[in-house]
Amino acid sequence: MTPTEAVASIESGMTIGIGGWGSRRKPMALVRELLRTDVTDLTVVAFGGPDVGLLAAAGKIRKLVYGFVSLDSIPLDPLFTQARERGELDVEEYDEGMFVAGLRAAAARLDFLPIRAGLGSDVLPANPRVATIASPYSDDVYVAMPALPLDVALIHMNRADPQGNGQFLGPDPYFDDLFAMAATSTIMSAEKVVPTEQLLHDSSFHTLLISRMFVSSVVETPRGAHFTTCEPDYDRDEAFQRHYVESAKDPEPWTAFTQRFLSGNEQNYHDAVEAFHQTEGAK
Amino acid sequence: MTSDVTRAEVCIAACADTYRESGEVLAHAVGIVPTLGARLAKLTSAPQIVLTDGEAFLMSTPPPLGKSASGGGVIEGWAPFRRIFDILATGRRQSMMGASQIDRFGNQNISLIGDWAQPSRQLIGVRGAPGNTANHRVDYWISRHSPRIFVESVDMVSGVGNDRARAAGPALKYHHLGAIVTNLAVFGFDADGRVMLRSIHPGVDPDEVARNTGFPVDVQNVPLTRIPDAEEVRLVREVLDPRGARSREVPD
């Protein structure tokens, strides 16, 4: 399946979860594909990075549900902060652990999970739909973190087989399995799609994080997490991320950035990135 | 013998001292000085604490500053992000976080400046601050002590302060604010949960501390922060931070 075909199943108004973490192993090729569609009015659920920045700047997000939005080596994503400061984004901001509990609740088909995080903080007044619940066993009161069910999850893995079994090879699985299990359907991109019997050629069975039970589409997108990390296949493209941030600070360079990198297909994107490195910069 | 000790080195020793009673817990440190403090503690007064590389690995020896486990050091365990949330819920963790704002009860803000609906400055978000403060000891590090950071009231409570924790009742029984280490002084909390000065760094005028704190603090008769001993200074300069990254965060 091509990325275009996979993303065609996403409709305006859907709730989509995006795997990875900050500027790490984000399904950026799928996000760029989404930018090429006329889909809009999305509820986006993510440990946000440039995925959130790009979708926010393109006006595709109606509501953002997040634990944080960061580019890691650069703390803030200017496209996200600008959207917030213009008052454009409807947001639910959670403590990171609350966010994970919300995914776990959705994956387990529960309405909520109890958690301590959030009590006493302004996360609760900022999210009036979040209730507390009294313990039936003691005087404790916990946050009843509501489930974060997803229509679609987008995740990017190092390897996958055509049936939808996915493998991470880097140091951290992040929460991609939870995103897949919390979603009605999951689109998984991978650096490389290999026959099932080759999945263990690069690493041990502990890396087989994603089962085909939770995946509906598999697409091969080499360098599909660019410019975020996809260890050990490649590191973050720091020079390009800096260029993204510098461009995003003002409308004019941002228009130039989108015309140069985001106006064509995925091959055009990678060609433009290569040309960027040849002309502007040491990687 | 240690009269040439820098302000940054005093701050690092003060951060290290937050682990004296901690036991075998995971040390989470945000910033150069707190990271060096945790590593110094590991090599001196608190060998039992568990260090991370800031990514996915637990380290039995400190990795080189600014590098993950791949840059060196000895890995003793695997703790990807999902495991961190499991560990913090057990309470076997201690965090030293930064703050964009902090008030007299230790309420901390890293989320935004201004209104929730339309912030004048969107910052990083609450991140793990609510969960950290609900589950285990939290200390803070302020590299530039100023009245813009020490405020009467924070714009969004990310890390829970002592007044809020008390009001929340028994579910926050594990709430524990330790110290606030700054480039000028070390704060603790009094019996009412209010910020109080514990020590002022050598060479700092007490009036400077008062002037740079946006709520009243008693600066009279406050002892001096201890100066790190010769071995601590050697470890910081020769082993932990030979390239002097600490002076980027706290200039000499």
Side-chain angles (χ1 to χ4, degrees), chain A residues 21 24 68 75 81 84-86 93 95-96 116-117 119-122 126 139-141 171-172 174-175 177, chain B residues 55 78 80-82 85 111-112 116 118-119 121-122 124-128 130-131 156-157 160 164 171 173-174:
Chain A
W21 166 283
R24 303 173 197 220
F68 62 81
T81 57
R84 275 290 276 147
E85 289 161 15
R86 285 193 297 262
E93 176 177 305
D95 164 87
E96 295 169 29
R116 260 191 203 91
L119 290 168
S121 79
D122 279 344
D139 292 337
D140 285 8
V141 173
D172 200 317
Y174 310 121
F175 298 87
D177 52 338
Chain B
E55 302 279 333
W78 184 48
F81 291 128
R82 61 178 59 204
F85 299 118
S111 179
L112 54 81
W116 169 250
Q118 186 172 357
R121 264 182 74 211
Q122 173 67 43
I124 193 107
V126 297
R127 292 220 68 155
M156 180 163 184
V157 175
V160 178
R164 292 285 195 105
K173 57 193 158 208
Y174 304 119

Side-chain angles (χ1 to χ4, degrees), chain A:
Chain A
M1 189 178 273
T2 69
T4 313
E5 288 166 339
V7 165
S9 64
I10 298 176
E11 296 165 19
S12 292
M14 278 185 165
T15 296
I16 66 165
I18 305 179
W21 166 283
S23 188
R24 303 173 197 220
R25 200 155 43 73
K26 282 285 174 178
M28 296 299 284
L30 296 179
V31 169
R32 286 187 285 270
E33 203 57 53
L34 205 45
L35 294 174
R36 295 177 195 116
T37 70
D38 56 8
V39 166
T40 187
D41 199 31
L42 296 171
T43 294
V44 170
V45 179
F47 281 116
D51 50 335
V52 164
L54 286 167
L55 291 169
K60 297 208 175 286
I61 306 182
R62 184 184 63 76
K63 183 181 196 179
L64 178 65
V65 182
Y66 61 103
F68 62 81
V69 180
S70 174
L71 301 174
D72 294 295
S73 52
I74 299 171
L76 301 177
D77 181 300
L79 298 176
F80 162 68
T81 57
Q82 288 159 16
R84 275 290 276 147
E85 289 161 15
R86 285 193 297 262
E88 274 172 8
L89 275 181
D90 186 6
V91 292
E92 286 180 22
E93 176 177 305
Y94 293 114
D95 164 87
E96 295 169 29
M98 290 174 73
F99 184 90
V100 174
L103 290 178
R104 285 194 197 285
R109 300 180 294 173
L110 295 168
D111 288 344
F112 69 91
L113 277 174
I115 188 167
R116 260 191 203 91
L119 290 168
S121 79
D122 279 344
V123 169
L124 298 193
N127 295 283
R129 86 172 175 113
V130 179
T132 56
I133 185 162
S135 167
Y137 306 110
S138 74
D139 292 337
D140 285 8
V141 173
Y142 305 116
V143 170
M145 178 60 202
L148 298 173
L150 311 170
D151 294 315
V152 181
L154 308 179
I155 61 175
H156 182 76
M157 305 301 286
N158 298 93
R159 303 286 177 271
D161 73 7
Q163 285 70 43
N165 296 301
Q167 180 178 42
F168 76 103
L169 296 175
D172 200 317
Y174 310 121
F175 298 87
D176 290 359
D177 52 338
L178 271 182
F179 276 95
M181 292 163 91
T184 307
S185 75
T186 294
I187 303 169
M188 175 169 68
S189 60
E191 285 301 306
K192 207 166 163 189
V193 175
V194 300
T196 308
E197 61 271 23
Q198 286 179 21
L199 278 174
L200 294 179
H201 284 189
D202 289 324
S203 201
S204 78
F205 49 82
H206 304 92
T207 58
L208 296 176
L209 183 72
I210 308 292
S211 164
R212 62 188 168 84
M213 289 183 286
F214 304 109
V215 174
S216 16
S217 322
V218 179
V219 293
E220 187 175 68
T221 59
R223 294 193 70 76
H226 182 271
F227 48 89
T228 69
T229 61
C230 190
E231 292 179 73
D233 293 317
Y234 46 90
D235 287 332
R236 185 177 302 122
D237 187 343
E238 296 287 0
F240 190 82
Q241 175 161 291
R242 280 195 299 276
H243 182 59
Y244 162 79
V245 167
E246 284 308 312
S247 304
K249 281 178 181 163
D250 290 298
E252 210 170 298
W254 182 244
T255 304
F257 183 97
T258 55
Q259 279 170 356
R260 183 174 178 189
F261 296 106
L262 302 173
S263 60
N265 63 26
E266 186 68 6
Q267 188 54 51
N268 301 144
Y269 171 81
H270 290 291
D271 292 345
V273 169
E274 204 183 318
F276 164 82
H277 283 299
Q278 276 166 9
T279 55
E280 277 127 289
K283 210 165 165 190

